[in-house]
Structure formats: C-alpha cells, structure tokens
Amino acid sequence: MSHVPKEHPRYLSLLYRERIAEGVRKGITAVEGIAAHGRGETFDYILGEKTHDFAFEAERAAVALMLLSKHPVISVNGNVAALIPEEIVKLSEALNAILEVNIFHFSEERVRKIKEEIEAHGGRILADMDATLEGLKSARRLVSSKGIFIADTVLVPLEDGDRCEILRMNGKKVITIDLNPLSRTSRMADITIVDNLVRAVPNMIELAEELKSYPERDLKEILSNYDNKKILSASIERIRDCLTEMAEKVKEE
Ligand code: ATP
Ligand code: MG
C-alpha cells in the first residue's frame, strides 16, 4: 500500500482491499472471496463506513451470548484470515471461544494455509473436518467433532444462508457479521451484526473485556432485551436514510 497516501479518502478501504488481494495471492482467500468482499464494500460505502448504534447493540448482545455459551466457536474463512488474523485470535482469547477453519470453496491446501496464517498470529485453530452437518451439500458441512459439531453457539462472519439455516436446525445459536442486512444469512441468524468485520471484531474484543466480569444475570438481561428483528429493520431504514440524505446533497450541489 506504499503507493496510496494515508490522506487518501479511501485509504482504509483500499488497505483492506489490498489484504484480500494478498490473501488470494497467498492461497488463503478464494477468488470468489473478492466478490463477497466487494458486495460488503458497497453496503459499507452507503452506510458511511462506521459502526452504527444498531450494530453496536448487536455486537454487545453477541458478546453476552458467547460468554453465556458452554461451547462457543468462531468460524474462520479465507476473508477473515486475510483481513483480521490478529484480531480474530484476540477475540477468541477474550471470549474463551474455539477457532475453527470452515470454508465454502473447499481445498485441503487452503484449509492448511488458513490454519498456518492463524497459527502465525499465535492462535490455535481446529481444522479436523471429521464430522458432517446433515442437510448441507457445500463443503461448509465438514466440521470438527471438537468444534462446530458440538457447539451451542457459532459466530460466523460472512456466512452463507444455507448453512446458517442448517446450523439453526442443528439447535445452534448463530451470530453473523454481514454488511448486507438483506441477505438470507442476516435474516436467518439469531444475532445479525450489520458492520464491517474489521470494525466489529475490535469492538467485540473491547466489549468482551468489559462484559467478562458481569454476573450471568446481567448478561442474560442484555439478551432478553435484544430484538434482532428490530436491529435488522433499523439497519435497512438507516440505508434508506443515508440514500435520502445523499440524494438531497446531490440536488444542492
Ligand atoms: P446469502 O443470502 O446466502 O446469505 P450473501 O449475500 O450473504 O448470500 P455471500 O456469498 O455469503 O452472499 O456473501 C458474503 C456476504 O458477506 C455479503 O453479504 C457481504 O455483504 C458480506 N461481507 C463481505 N465482506 C464483509 C466484511 N468485511 N464485513 C462484513 N460483511 C462482509
Ligand atoms: Mg451470506
């Protein structure tokens, strides 16, 4: 990124785009991951590339749920490993959650490279794929018998709608980080964080440090006050309002 000055208005966006490109070159990220990232960028652009109240509330509820869970797991794919390897390791430590490699476009080499990338950042990560989630055709069905297979809650940044449904059918709570509130994943999850994962994960690390010392009763209260439908519709309304504001601005220019 030496060619892009820090003052560039799209500096951060370009930096993360570069990380995705580097992830593809290193064999960590699937080529399709570029398209997924681009779809996320579009929503982020419209939302002003910041964490809105509805996202922060979902992040707080997500941390409460992870802390209350007996066997919380964080699913790691090629985009997560390319964008925020260090932060995802920190989050797993702060939440006492297991990391597990889980990818849509399967290759043994990519699984190994994602594992190595996380380990290079000091994390431990499962990649056994010795168990199967029934009802799914994609490689996402392959999970670890020590991880997602027995998890009660799974945090899946950038999930696909199909598996979200299957995870829920298997009795698991699902938390997703997805900038597209219209996706099937967003609408299926128990908790939907409409935020960029490069902001959501650092926010969640801080929240975990804070909520860790809370008694169980208080964590349960955060969850019982949380309404995912309300959060989802607030995020969609915010997109509408952002677009209205932009349309007004264009008229004034
Ligand atoms: P489905 O309806 O199956 O859930 P989808 O729109 O989610 O479909 P995917 O292939 O799962 O399709 O796309 C990945 C999703 O991840 C997109 O919705 C995109 O907005 C989101 N996304 C991509 N990059 C990021 C990111 N850095 N942070 C948060 N969300 C992201
Ligand atoms: Mg999705």
Side-chain angles (χ1 to χ4, degrees):
M1 277 283 290
S2 51
H3 55 290
V4 183
K6 276 214 161 88
E7 299 72 40
H8 191 289
R10 309 231 53 74
Y11 178 79
L12 273 183
S13 169
L14 291 171
L15 172 79
Y16 289 118
R17 191 179 279 187
E18 188 50 45
R19 284 196 192 166
I20 290 287
E22 186 59 18
V24 173
R25 283 192 285 269
K26 281 166 53 181
I28 291 171
T29 310
V31 174
E32 292 83 351
I34 302 173
H37 184 78
R39 186 180 293 162
E41 280 182 339
T42 310
F43 283 96
D44 212 14
Y45 198 119
I46 294 171
L47 282 164
E49 294 172 334
K50 62 178 186 193
T51 301
H52 290 267
D53 289 350
F54 54 77
F56 195 74
E57 199 180 324
E59 286 157 11
R60 199 157 187 270
V63 168
L65 176 58
M66 291 291 273
L67 289 172
L68 282 169
S69 298
K70 290 206 167 52
H71 199 81
V73 174
I74 304 173
S75 176
V76 177
N77 74 353
N79 286 50
V80 175
L83 288 173
I84 46 156
E86 193 182 324
E87 290 83 354
I88 209 75
V89 169
K90 278 196 189 138
L91 182 64
S92 77
E93 288 166 359
L95 292 171
N96 217 351
I98 290 171
L99 294 173
E100 176 171 342
V101 180
N102 192 262
I103 57 179
F104 187 77
H105 301 280
F106 183 77
S107 94
E108 268 175 25
E109 195 188 342
R110 224 154 64 69
V111 170
R112 181 174 51 78
K113 288 193 169 164
I114 291 172
K115 188 171 192 290
E116 284 169 4
E117 183 70 11
I118 295 298
E119 285 168 352
H121 287 84
R124 289 179 51 205
I125 185 160
L126 294 172
D128 318 308
M129 304 191 165
D130 57 348
T132 306
L133 291 175
E134 293 302 326
L136 248 193
K137 286 207 178 74
S138 84
R140 290 272 211 189
R141 72 182 186 283
L142 303 171
V143 293
S144 165
S145 60
K146 298 194 269 316
I148 291 171
F149 195 69
I150 54 165
D152 49 357
T153 303
V154 190
L155 168 63
V156 268
L158 315 196
E159 172 60 303
D160 52 300
D162 291 9
R163 195 179 66 145
C164 191
E165 199 175 345
I166 298 295
L167 287 171
R168 289 201 58 178
M169 272 167 55
N170 278 275
K172 300 173 197 310
K173 296 252 187 245
V174 178
I175 302 164
T176 191
I177 304 173
D178 190 337
L179 275 159
N180 176 7
L182 308 173
S183 76
R184 287 173 308 150
T185 308
S186 287
R187 303 218 317 270
M188 283 273 171
D190 294 281
I191 298 179
T192 309
I193 299 168
V194 183
D195 199 359
N196 198 319
L197 79 118
V198 305
R199 292 187 303 269
V201 171
N203 286 346
M204 289 170 77
I205 296 169
E206 273 190 32
L207 284 162
E209 298 303 338
E210 182 198 333
L211 299 191
K212 233 184 207 168
S213 56
Y214 278 35
E216 224 179 88
R217 179 173 34 91
D218 293 3
L219 296 176
K220 283 185 177 154
E221 201 182 317
I222 292 174
L223 281 180
S224 63
N225 290 331
Y226 180 79
D227 179 349
N228 205 49
K229 286 212 166 85
K230 197 186 89 196
I231 291 296
L232 262 182
S233 65
S235 68
I236 297 169
E237 282 166 5
R238 189 66 210 141
I239 290 174
R240 178 198 62 199
D241 294 344
C242 285
L243 290 172
T244 305
E245 282 161 27
M246 284 176 204
E248 293 301 325
K249 236 193 196 154
V250 167
K251 269 192 232 156
E252 285 160 18
E253 273 167 11

